[in-house]
Amino acid sequence: MIEKVASSMLPVDEEFRIQKNSIHSQASDANQKRICIVTGTHGDELEGQYVCYEVQRRLQENLQHLKGIVDIYPALNPLGVDTITRGVPKFDLDMNRIFPGNTEGTMVEYAAAKIIEDMSGADMVIDIHASNIFLKEIPQVRINEMCQETLVPYAKRLNIDYIWIHSAATVLESTLAHSLNMTGTPCLVVEMGVGMRITREYGNQLTDGIFTLMKDLGIWDGPVTEPKEPIVSTDGNVSYLNAAYSGIFVSCVEHWINVKKGEKIGEIVDPLTGALLEEVLSPVTGVLFTLREYPVVYEGSLVGRILERD
Ligand SMILES: [Zn+2]
């Protein structure tokens, strides 16, 4: 059943509308567990669009196994998705910096408050983000260190490759996840793939994990796969690779591989003079979990991230 979560009139007789599809089991049990699959907070991160589709496709083929409620929110920032804009267009406002919102506030603050109201009390919220167009990320869950005790056991069931326990950045205050986690609704933030793209393989991997988690929660009783054992790390052992020169970055390794200290990750070249400006070498031995996708770099641009491991 498609429901409106929040709506406001726009200036020329159009409507700003955030919608969800609420899929219920056929049983009429009042104590059904609920999971929310959420994406499109950043309008240029589209990996979650496929996951919303694929979760529903699998549900609809096997509705007899659904024992709870699955709420799907494909676009928390619908104007952003429609215009390929990260923030809310016109306001240039990051939708993930205004939670928990305010019902008496501006259109977007009001929408944020209605979103929180709608999701509060769910047994699990999965908030799916992608990287930007510059970097490719392996499927991972990012957890604020304050919530690690509650969230890491759930994240391990999500069939992702990596759990990054963070002290800041994408898991700060005023995000949807923080607002929910601080008020007792568990929310996992997934980050994967590339901005403005869909990586079907990652979407299928995460969808498998969502079904496993739904089974753990008693929302699904159909077949599931055994999840991958993710690597769990804290900020401490992540090394950043930054470009020393401006130029064109050409990688020479695959993403998500083990690299040795001193191993070449790629080259920064100058297409005008034909010069090799820099050989980008790994500063540590570990796993390359972020790799630059967009070739143009400036001095200081992020080229990759490596999790230090023996
Ligand atoms: Zn995002």
Side-chain angles (χ1 to χ4, degrees):
M1 183 179 20
I2 311 262
E3 294 172 18
K4 262 190 220 181
V5 175
S7 87
S8 303
M9 289 312 289
L10 291 170
V12 190
D13 205 27
E14 291 181 303
E15 190 186 5
F16 170 79
R17 187 170 54 200
I18 296 169
Q19 301 184 103
K20 71 171 179 181
N21 194 357
S22 192
I23 305 158
H24 292 234
S25 82
Q26 287 137 344
S28 55
D29 173 3
N31 300 314
Q32 287 185 13
K33 297 278 179 81
R34 175 164 68 114
I35 189 169
C36 302
I37 313 295
V38 183
T39 194
T41 312
H42 293 134
D44 59 352
E45 300 176 4
L46 304 174
E47 299 276 6
Q49 300 300 315
Y50 173 71
V51 178
C52 288
Y53 163 76
E54 182 60 13
V55 166
Q56 296 196 69
R57 189 189 67 78
R58 296 188 197 182
L59 281 174
Q60 281 157 8
E61 281 183 6
N62 293 283
L63 265 183
Q64 74 279 11
H65 290 302
L66 180 61
K67 301 295 159 193
I69 300 168
V70 182
D71 280 345
I72 306 231
Y73 306 69
L76 292 196
N77 172 11
L79 298 177
V81 173
D82 285 348
T83 56
I84 331 169
T85 311
R86 178 180 170 83
V88 181
K90 206 68 198 158
F91 303 88
D92 194 24
L93 180 70
D94 187 331
M95 186 78 194
N96 213 21
R97 298 290 179 273
I98 52 157
F99 288 98
N102 176 2
T103 50
E104 306 292 314
T106 61
M107 178 179 93
V108 186
E109 288 172 318
Y110 162 79
K114 296 300 280 182
I115 289 166
I116 293 283
E117 186 185 300
D118 201 80
M119 293 177 191
S120 286
D123 298 279
M124 178 56 61
V125 177
I126 311 285
D127 181 18
I128 305 166
H129 291 251
S131 181
N132 51 34
I133 61 166
F134 302 105
L135 301 165
K136 186 169 193 180
E137 302 281 3
I138 51 144
Q140 59 196 270
V141 169
R142 294 187 180 172
I143 293 175
N144 187 307
E145 57 190 5
M146 287 189 295
C147 305
Q148 57 175 306
E149 261 176 54
T150 326
L151 296 183
V152 170
Y154 291 124
K156 283 187 168 174
R157 302 294 290 163
L158 210 48
N159 197 37
I160 37 90
D161 292 283
Y162 181 42
I163 297 173
W164 189 358
I165 299 164
H166 244 262
S167 54
T170 49
V171 278
L172 35 75
E173 281 180 48
S174 74
T175 63
L176 173 69
H178 187 84
S179 297
L180 289 172
N181 281 316
M182 289 302 110
T183 50
T185 299
C187 177
L188 293 174
V189 177
V190 175
E191 179 97 17
M192 65 181 192
V194 190
M196 299 190 191
R197 295 286 179 272
I198 283 175
T199 314
R200 192 175 187 132
E201 168 201 351
Y202 290 173
N204 287 333
Q205 178 183 339
L206 178 62
T207 303
D208 288 345
I210 288 172
F211 276 85
T212 301
L213 196 50
M214 290 201 303
K215 191 160 193 173
D216 293 353
L217 293 167
I219 295 172
W220 174 255
D221 71 357
V224 293
T225 54
E226 190 52 35
K228 287 186 170 193
E229 180 75 41
I231 297 172
V232 184
S233 88
T234 53
D235 277 344
N237 33 31
V238 174
S239 291
Y240 291 73
L241 288 172
N242 294 93
Y245 294 87
S246 299
I248 300 297
F249 173 73
V250 187
S251 65
C252 55
V253 293
E254 291 291 314
H255 184 210
W256 194 231
I257 55 153
N258 291 309
V259 291
K260 293 217 155 47
K261 184 174 178 175
E263 188 173 333
K264 189 155 87 173
I265 305 296
E267 294 168 337
I268 296 174
V269 301
D270 181 342
L272 180 63
T273 63
L276 171 61
L277 301 172
E278 183 189 358
E279 292 196 307
V280 181
L281 307 178
S282 177
V284 293
T285 294
V287 194
L288 182 67
F289 72 92
T290 304
L291 181 61
R292 190 157 186 101
E293 178 82 7
Y294 194 80
V296 177
V297 292
Y298 294 92
E299 187 184 335
S301 293
L302 188 61
V303 170
R305 293 192 192 99
I306 296 170
L307 172 67
E308 201 171 343
R309 301 183 95 208
D310 293 331

